[in-house]
Amino acid sequence: MALQVQSLALNTGREIPGIGFGTGTSFFGRGEDVAALVGHAFQAGITSFDTAVIYGTEGGLGQGLSGLACPRSSLYITTKTPDWAWNKEEIVKEVEKSLKLLQVTYLDLVLLHTPAPRKGSAFLKKALAQQEIDKLPDPQDAAAMEAARLSAWQGLEACVEMGLVRDIGVSNFTVHHLTQLVNNQLIRIRPSVNQVEFNPYQTDTETYNFCKKEGILLQAFGPLGNGREMLADPVLLAIGDKKKKTTAQVSLRWAWQLGVATVTKTEKIPRMKENIDIWDFELDKEEMEKISGLNKNIRIFGDNSRFP
């Protein structure tokens, strides 16, 4: 019998499953492999699936989801806009492309993937010719990027109004980027989610506290760190031994009790069920504080404060 993932409330009144299945990092460009795993994830109890234009997995995810014998309403599908879309028209065009690849008529959540184009990245160089990259907004021009983020956000708002998307948010935004956006008088819809790197070794207290204060749900990517060193931490091992749970389950439960949704990624079928088997135990206040105290400010995926 499949486990049921519990949900967290969004500021729009809708809910998001507390744990989702990610199709990035090692899945980059491997849509066929993603398609082959979707059914296994769903059978384990996962109904929330996270992708992005730059992952190159939207088509594979769409293929896998189309084979599920379930109503669309029972699934939660998230994608993220690419680094090359920075105005209203481009955002709408990219979302329409994503809908076709994912084989759905609407998306539950779409995020602006980055506060600025990552011009030096390998995926961008693979996707665009250098002359096209050069035309993108200067990621170090504060005024140009503030205007670009606003225009892109207005594109997401248009997608909501067109019925293409239900909720919208951001990813990799710092408190600075979020403050600029939510305080802009021209926005009509507030972000519902900020997806950032977050785990016991990277607690990003400033962003966590800001999002909590502003009613923006924090969603963690990389909730298990790199899947090695952090999961061998003696504190997590001791708590896991006491609870008869793995260190991954302890880490995911810690995030859940903080009100943080998580996006996990695994290619191992048994781990899919293991990752969502966190509802039959609870961490007490001392255990929560011990885990939060493990913070080492380790960032695996880059520091977005580099973008003004």
Side-chain angles (χ1 to χ4, degrees):
M1 183 179 173
L3 290 164
Q4 186 169 359
V5 175
Q6 296 181 26
S7 295
L8 290 163
L10 298 176
N11 58 19
T12 56
R14 283 180 284 271
E15 294 184 331
I16 183 172
I19 302 176
F21 183 81
T23 64
T25 54
S26 67
F27 280 127
F28 258 69
R30 296 171 53 209
E32 289 184 6
D33 294 329
V34 168
L37 288 170
V38 168
H40 295 292
F42 183 73
Q43 285 175 3
I46 295 167
T47 58
S48 177
F49 296 88
D50 180 282
T51 185
V53 174
I54 67 165
Y55 297 168
T57 54
E58 288 179 315
L61 179 56
Q63 183 185 337
L65 293 174
S66 68
L68 300 180
C70 69
R72 168 68 182 89
S73 59
S74 67
L75 299 172
Y76 195 97
I77 305 172
T78 301
T79 195
K80 308 174 201 79
T81 61
D83 292 50
W84 52 84
W86 290 102
N87 64 47
K88 183 176 177 179
E89 293 73 23
E90 289 171 345
I91 291 291
V92 172
K93 183 178 174 184
E94 290 295 338
V95 168
E96 289 174 337
K97 282 185 191 174
S98 294
L99 286 167
K100 287 179 183 176
L101 286 169
L102 288 160
Q103 301 182 45
V104 292
T105 56
Y106 71 91
L107 288 158
D108 295 278
L109 179 65
V110 177
L111 309 176
L112 295 183
H113 202 162
T114 173
R118 294 162 285 195
K119 288 194 173 186
S121 61
F123 66 79
L124 196 55
K125 291 178 179 178
K126 186 177 179 181
L128 300 179
Q130 188 58 49
Q131 61 187 28
E132 294 301 315
I133 294 175
D134 292 341
K135 291 177 185 177
L136 296 174
D138 179 356
Q140 293 304 313
D141 185 330
M145 282 317 310
E146 183 177 7
R149 286 191 288 270
L150 173 62
S151 185
W153 186 255
Q154 290 172 328
L156 287 186
E157 290 178 327
C159 289
V160 172
E161 289 157 4
M162 293 166 70
L164 306 179
V165 180
R166 292 196 167 170
D167 288 311
I168 55 178
V170 296
S171 179
N172 295 303
F173 273 41
T174 65
V175 169
H176 164 70
H177 303 130
L178 275 172
T179 301
Q180 271 190 347
L181 185 63
V182 300
N183 288 343
N184 194 303
Q185 299 300 308
L186 295 176
I187 74 165
R188 301 187 303 281
I189 303 173
R190 286 172 64 82
S192 58
V193 171
N194 183 23
Q195 189 184 109
V196 299
E197 184 175 0
F198 185 90
N199 56 63
Y201 276 10
Q202 175 49 263
T203 57
D204 199 352
T205 306
E206 183 187 15
T207 304
Y208 172 79
N209 288 338
F210 180 86
C211 288
K212 194 171 183 180
K213 177 173 69 77
E214 294 292 328
I216 299 168
L217 182 93
L218 199 70
Q219 186 177 45
F221 65 79
L224 305 180
N226 65 7
R228 296 186 294 276
E229 287 86 354
M230 191 190 84
L231 297 184
D233 189 282
V235 170
L236 295 176
L237 285 167
I239 294 172
D241 186 56
K242 179 182 173 184
K243 305 289 184 182
K244 294 182 170 51
K245 292 289 180 179
T246 66
T247 51
Q249 290 169 323
V250 169
S251 299
L252 294 169
R253 179 71 198 192
W254 166 80
W256 166 260
Q257 288 185 212
L258 287 173
V260 175
T262 51
V263 176
T264 62
K265 187 203 71 66
T266 182
E267 300 185 36
K268 297 174 181 176
I269 294 167
R271 288 269 174 84
M272 295 174 184
K273 189 167 185 177
E274 179 185 297
N275 283 344
I276 61 172
D277 188 12
I278 67 165
W279 316 111
D280 60 350
F281 76 106
E282 192 167 345
L283 300 168
D284 63 29
K285 184 181 178 185
E286 183 182 355
E287 290 164 338
M288 288 292 291
E289 289 174 352
K290 278 185 179 179
I291 297 171
S292 295
L294 296 176
N295 181 49
K296 300 178 188 297
N297 291 319
I298 292 175
R299 288 191 185 277
I300 299 169
F301 298 96
D303 186 354
N304 291 289
S305 65
R306 69 188 187 278
F307 298 126

